Amino acid sequence: MEKEFPIKQIIDGNGNLIDSTFGSEITEELLKELYTKMLRARTLDRKSANLQRQGRIGTYAPFEGQEAAQVGSASALEKGDWMFPTYRDHAATLTFGHSLSTILLYWKGRVEGCVPPEGKNIFPPAVPIATQLPHATGAALAEKRKGSDRVSIAYFGDGATSEGDFHEGLNFASVFKAPVVFFNQNNGYAISVPIEKQMNSKTIAQKSVSYDIDGVRVDGNDVFAVYFETKKAIEKARKGEGPTLIEAVTWRYGAHTTADDPTKYRDQELSAEKRKLTDPLLRIERYMEKQGVWEEGWKAQVQKQCEEEIEKAVVEMEAYPEADVNDIFDHVFEEPTWTIKQQKEAFLSMKRGETV
Amino acid sequence: MKTMADVKTNKLTLVQAVTDGLRTMMKEHDDVLVLGEDVGKNGGVFRATDGLVDEFGEDRIVDTPLAEAGIIGTSIGLAINGFRPVAEMQFLGFIYPAYEQIMTHASRIRTRTMSRFNVPMVIRAPYGAGIRAPEIHSDSVEALFTHMPGIKVVVPSNPYDAKGLLIASIEDPDPVLFMEPMRSYRSIKSDVPEEKYTVELGKGAKVTEGDDVTVIAWGNMVAVAQKAVEKIEKEQGVSCELLDLRTLYPLDKDIIAESVMKTGRAVIVHEAPSTGGVGNDVLSIINDNAFLYLRAPVEKVAGFDTPIPFFSLEEDYLPTPDRVLKSIENVVTF
C-alpha cells in the first residue's frame, strides 16, 4: 500500500526541488510567506512551553515539528471556510485567523481561547478524539445545501483513525459527497503507543479506499507538498467532487503535552536526528539558499518581529480582565433555566457576603 | 378572536401527532431537516416520518448510514451552520454510541464558545418498555440526559402535547432530547389542531385536580398513574391531583411545589431505575419548597435498579396501576 500511496514531496530535506510541477508557483513571496508563518508558529510554541514551565499557563500541547503540516494546509483555505482543529493545531488556527493571545488564553484556562474573531469559522479545539470529523462533514453539508462553495477541513492525529467517529465522519462525507478535507497529521505516536500498535495498515491514506474517496500521502514536513495537495483537495471539494483524506507524515520533537515524558517511550536521539534531516523550517532555508534568496539578516528580522508580536500577546494574555464568574452560568442555554438562575444567584450572593 | 371551536382538528395518535409536528415545521422552515436511519422511504420504524420524504424530498428527509455518533455529529455540524436538524434515534436504547457527541459537544458548544456557536437541534428517540421489543430497545435513561448540562429533556404523554412540544423543541435555540413513549404511540387518540401551536417547554400540566395527594408522572406512566387515580377515587374517595411533568429538564418547580403544598402528600411514578432517577430531582424540589406542608413521606414508584428485563418479564418490571395505588394508600394512611 505504500506503493499505491507514495509520500509526495516537492522539496526534500536537503532543500532540493524534486517535483517541478509547482516550481513556477513557488515564488519568493510565497516562500517567505509560508516560512514566516511557520517561524511565527514555532516561536509561539516554544514560548508557550516556557510559559508553562514558569507556571504562567497550564498544561500545554506542543507541536514543534508539525508546522509545515498545519501552516501548509491552513494556508490553502479561504475566508468563509470552516476549520475543525484539535487542541494541538495552533499553527493551523493561527494561520487561519486566531490571534496569538486567544491561543495563549486557551492554555491559561480561559474559555475566551475557544472564541474565534468575528466572521472566522474556527471551531473550538476538539478535546475528545475524532469527534470533530462528523462536525466538519455536517458543516460542509450545510454549505453545500446553501449552495455556497465553502468547504470544511478537519484536523486529527494518527490515533484518531482508530476511533469510530473517524470512520463515521468519512463514511457520511463519502455518502453525501460533502465538501470536506480530512487532514491527518501522522506523527507516529498516540501519546506513547506507536503506530504499529495503533493499526496494521501500512498507511492512513489507504483508509480512503474503503470509502471510495480520494486519499493522498504527503511529506508533512514539506510545506509546499502540504500546501499544494491541500489546495487541490479543497478545489475539488469546492467543485462538488467530494471529500479527500490527506495523510501528512510528520514528526513532533516534543512530548504529547507538557505533563508527559517522551523519553519513556521514544528515542530522543532519533528525534534529534530527524530534526537535522527533515525539519520543515530548515529545508525551506536550504531551498532558499539554493535559490539564492536566503538572507540571514531577513530571518533575524522575521524572528525579531515574531518575538515582539508574541511578547505583546503574552502581555495581552496576562493583562486580560479576570475571568468573569457569570460566564459559568450565562452560556449554558440562550435563556438560563431556573436551576441555573437559582444556583447563580445563591453563589453570587455568597461571594458578595465573603468580600463584605 | 379565534375560539377552540374555530380550530380545525384531527383525531391523531401520538406518533401521528409527531409526524404532524414535523410536517408543520418543515413546511414553515426550509432549514428544518430530518436525519436518521430508515426515516425516508420506510418512514421510520414506527412510521413517525411516514410520507414526509414524498412531500419534502430526500434532501430534507435524509436516510443516513447506520451510525448514531455520525448522525448526531453530522447534525451538530449542520446546526452550527444554519440548519435545524431533527435527528432520529431509532430507539433511545441505541443512543449510547452517540452519547459522547451529545455530552462532549452538542450540550456544551454554546458554553465553550461563549454563545458564538449554538446547536439548535432536536434528538427524537422512542423509549420505554411495554411493547415486547427485543433487549436494549426498551431503556428509559432520561436521567443520563437530565444530568447533562446544556440539553433539555422533553417527554409528551398525549398527542396534543406531542405536536406542541415537538414544535417548541424545534424552535428552541438549544439542543433538546425529545423522548417519545413507545407504548403510548398508538394507544391514545385525541384532537390535535391542524395549525401550528406550541406547548411551552419547562411547564408541566395538571391532568386531574385533587386535594389529598399529588401523583407525579411523565410519558407512558401518566396513563398508568391515571388508572390508579381513577380507581382509588372511585373506590376509596381519595382525591388525587395528577401531574404530567412533560419536560424533565428543566422541571416545572412551581407546579410541583404548589400542588404538594396543597395536598401535603406526593407519589412519584417513573419507569426508569429508581436510583439516580429523575424522581429524586422531584423529591428535591418537594424538599426545598414544600417540606413543612408534608403529612407523609413522599413515595416513589419506579423501575428496579436492574437492566430492563427481556420482554417475558417486562410487565413485572414496569410500575403498574396496582403498585401506584398501593403507594397512594400508603401516603394517605400514614
Side-chain angles (χ1 to χ4, degrees), chain B residues 212-289:
Chain B
D212 300 329
V213 56
T214 302
V215 180
I216 301 161
W218 55 91
N220 183 56
M221 287 299 114
V222 174
V224 170
Q226 197 156 14
K227 278 186 193 145
V229 163
E230 280 164 13
K231 198 169 175 206
I232 201 164
E233 285 195 325
K234 201 167 139 208
E235 291 174 4
Q236 300 180 38
V238 177
S239 167
C240 303
E241 186 144 293
L242 175 58
L243 305 182
D244 173 2
L245 291 183
R246 301 198 292 201
T247 298
L248 303 183
Y249 187 88
L251 284 166
D252 186 344
K253 173 183 62 156
D254 296 338
I255 203 170
I256 297 166
E258 278 162 26
S259 180
V260 178
M261 284 188 329
K262 178 174 74 175
T263 63
R265 300 178 182 91
V267 173
I268 302 161
V269 190
H270 65 66
E271 68 170 274
S274 182
T275 298
V278 175
N280 295 357
D281 291 316
V282 178
L283 265 171
S284 161
I285 287 174
I286 295 170
N287 181 59
D288 288 348
N289 297 276

Side-chain angles (χ1 to χ4, degrees), chain A residues 92-106:
Chain A
T93 60
L94 187 63
T95 301
F96 196 47
H98 257 323
S99 69
L100 290 160
S101 59
T102 299
I103 295 165
L104 291 170
L105 280 170
Y106 181 76

Side-chain angles (χ1 to χ4, degrees), chain B residues 169-204:
Chain B
S169 299
I170 296 172
E171 286 185 337
D172 197 275
D174 290 301
V176 177
L177 174 66
F178 191 83
M179 294 171 45
E180 297 164 10
M182 288 187 273
R183 200 175 199 175
S184 307
Y185 257 160
R186 294 187 171 83
S187 59
I188 328 155
K189 257 192 175 186
S190 64
D191 284 331
V192 175
E194 257 183 21
E195 61 184 24
K196 182 186 165 186
Y197 64 94
T198 55
V199 172
E200 192 185 346
L201 304 189
K203 295 276 177 241

Side-chain angles (χ1 to χ4, degrees), chain B residues 75-123:
Chain B
S75 297
I76 290 170
L78 285 158
I80 57 161
N81 197 3
F83 287 87
R84 273 183 270 189
V86 181
E88 180 177 295
M89 293 285 105
Q90 219 151 48
F91 294 85
L92 185 67
F94 296 176
I95 207 167
Y96 309 122
Y99 193 80
E100 181 183 15
Q101 281 288 350
I102 307 169
M103 183 74 184
T104 63
H105 294 295
S107 65
R108 62 176 97 194
I109 284 170
R110 182 187 285 282
T111 301
R112 294 184 70 222
T113 64
M114 305 181 84
S115 300
R116 172 67 61 84
F117 294 111
N118 64 325
V119 183
M121 75 182 279
V122 175
I123 303 165

Side-chain angles (χ1 to χ4, degrees), chain A residues 125 131 145-146 168 331 338, chain B residues 59 70 81 105 112 115 251:
Chain A
T131 48
R145 303 181 74 93
K146 289 180 197 169
E168 297 186 26
H331 298 287
W338 67 265
Chain B
D59 277 352
N81 197 3
H105 294 295
R112 294 184 70 222
S115 300
L251 284 166

